[in-house]
Amino acid sequence: MLYPLFLLAAGILVMIQPRTKRWQTRMHAHFKGNEQRIKQRANTFFLLGFAFIMAGLAYLYRSAVSS
C-alpha cells in the first residue's frame, strides 16, 4: 500500500520541480538561455510526473478492487 502513495508523491514532486527558482536558474545556465529548450524540458518533467501519478492511481485502484 506504500508504493502507490510513493508514486503519487514522486509525481507531484516531479511536476512541481520546473516551477522552482533554483531549477529555472540551473536550466537557464545549462541551456545558455535557450527558452525553447527550457520549456521543452519543463514539459518533459510535467509528463513524467503525470505518468507517475497515473501509475500510482492505477495501483491504488487495483488494490481497492482486489480487496
Side-chain angles (χ1 to χ4, degrees), residues 24-65:
Q24 289 177 358
T25 56
R26 292 182 75 163
M27 287 298 108
H28 189 74
H30 180 73
F31 291 123
K32 298 173 181 53
N34 188 346
E35 293 296 326
Q36 183 180 6
R37 295 285 309 270
I38 294 169
K39 188 170 190 139
Q40 183 180 17
R41 180 67 58 96
N43 288 341
T44 301
F45 270 69
F46 184 83
L47 289 174
L48 181 64
F50 185 72
F52 274 42
I53 289 173
M54 294 305 290
L57 290 175
Y59 275 118
L60 279 176
Y61 177 74
R62 185 175 174 182
S63 67
V65 169

